[in-house]
Amino acid sequence: LAVESEKNRAQRRRAEAALATRSAELERSARFSADASHQLKTPVTVLRAGLESLLSREGFNAETYDEFSALLHQTYRLTGVIEDLLLLSRMDAGRLQLEFTTVNLTRLIEEWLDDFSAIPDEFDLKVDVQVPHDLHVVGEKRYTTLIVQNLLENARKYNRPGGRIQVAAEVRERQVVLTIGNTGRGISPASQEHIFERFHRGAAGGDVPGHGLGLNLARELARLHGGDLHLASSVDDWTEFEVCFQTAGILDETAPA
């Protein structure tokens, strides 16, 4: 018994040491991401201001203006990556403070779909919405919006010409389950195991703009809100994600949005 007890104590000490080492590595990684992102923000801002100034000048030919515009667009994409990395580093370090309120999920979805309708749509997509009126969830509006935005943007980007996006929500016990599905090439079984990893870009995303952080960010935020995000299915011409929120009550369970 004494020998077994000493073995158990040794195993526990090794496990505690490994855990401490891992925690220190995560802290260093989060600190590096935050520091690097902060250092990048200023030069990117300066670069964007310079490009905007050049675009406002006269005397360049059309091709030059097109090049400036393309470069300016890349600065906005880079800013998006930086902001996502800053947010992830705060979550990794446990420094993200959430102030929960009641969020009208129905209105939030409607606002984002209105914004999408204003974006030129090369795919001519049809959007089917099946969301009850005044569906409320518990969350911080800024980050709840980010979860929905990332999923809707994925459904649009990874679609096909003449395709469809379906947005549906329902109350299951004390949770609101939001389902966002889209037509388009499915996610391979091999890629399904990695889609929530940071910077993962599957074969379907090779020609689609993005940086492989959206799904990871959305899932981490969903979990911080007491819910979760998972891939419900992806077969043939249909992919569907489900995200769960804590319900804050529903005023009308039957009327469509």
Side-chain angles (χ1 to χ4, degrees):
L1 288 174
V3 171
E4 289 299 319
S5 179
E6 181 58 32
K7 287 182 178 178
N8 290 336
R9 283 196 293 269
Q11 289 177 347
R12 187 177 66 182
R13 286 194 295 268
R14 288 195 295 270
E16 290 173 346
L19 180 60
T21 301
R22 180 58 177 164
S23 297
E25 290 175 351
L26 287 173
E27 177 63 25
R28 285 195 298 270
S29 177
R31 189 164 54 248
F32 172 80
S33 295
D35 291 344
S37 299
H38 277 297
Q39 292 295 324
L40 286 169
K41 287 184 74 173
T42 298
V44 170
T45 301
V46 172
L47 179 60
R48 180 187 305 157
L51 289 168
E52 289 174 344
S53 176
L54 289 171
L55 278 169
S56 67
R57 298 181 187 178
E58 297 180 358
F60 297 112
N61 57 43
E63 290 78 10
T64 302
Y65 284 115
D66 288 341
E67 291 177 2
F68 287 155
S69 296
L71 290 172
L72 183 61
H73 175 69
Q74 293 302 318
T75 67
Y76 280 101
R77 288 187 60 188
L78 184 55
T79 297
V81 177
I82 293 170
E83 294 297 335
D84 285 352
L85 285 173
L86 281 171
L87 181 55
L88 286 168
S89 66
R90 287 199 296 271
M91 286 192 288
D92 289 344
R95 293 196 297 266
L96 185 65
Q97 301 297 319
L98 299 178
E99 296 182 6
F100 292 118
T101 60
T102 298
V103 179
N104 190 325
L105 185 64
T106 304
R107 186 178 305 162
L108 187 155
I109 292 170
E110 290 173 345
E111 290 172 352
W112 270 105
L113 290 177
D114 285 342
D115 289 344
F116 276 5
S117 66
I119 300 173
D121 182 10
E122 60 181 311
F123 291 149
D124 189 27
L125 302 176
K126 177 184 177 182
V127 181
D128 178 25
V129 183
Q130 302 174 20
V131 179
H133 281 308
D134 293 321
L135 186 59
H136 293 78
V137 299
V138 176
E140 181 162 319
K141 184 175 182 181
R142 174 186 175 188
Y143 298 123
T144 304
T145 299
L146 189 56
I147 295 169
V148 175
Q149 172 192 345
N150 283 348
L151 292 175
L152 287 175
E153 286 183 344
N154 269 7
R156 179 174 61 86
K157 290 191 302 184
Y158 293 98
N159 222 302
R160 59 167 172 77
R164 180 169 62 94
I165 295 174
Q166 180 175 290
V167 183
E170 61 177 342
V171 178
R172 299 178 189 170
E173 297 180 352
R174 294 300 300 167
Q175 285 193 321
V176 170
V177 179
L178 173 65
T179 304
I180 298 179
N182 63 276
T183 50
R185 184 167 49 174
I187 304 170
S188 69
S191 290
Q192 289 182 22
E193 300 178 7
H194 305 286
I195 57 173
F196 291 105
E197 295 175 3
R198 295 177 189 180
F199 299 107
H200 174 74
R201 300 276 288 161
D207 56 350
V208 178
H211 43 267
L213 290 175
L215 285 177
N216 177 270
L217 188 58
R219 186 178 65 171
E220 294 297 324
L221 287 172
R223 289 176 173 177
L224 286 176
H225 280 73
D228 205 353
L229 166 65
H230 70 276
L231 175 67
S233 65
S234 185
V235 292
D236 299 329
D237 190 41
W238 188 254
T239 297
E240 197 168 272
F241 286 90
E242 283 188 354
V243 57
C244 300
F245 300 98
Q246 294 185 27
T247 180
I250 181 169
L251 303 181
D252 184 347
E253 298 185 348
T254 58

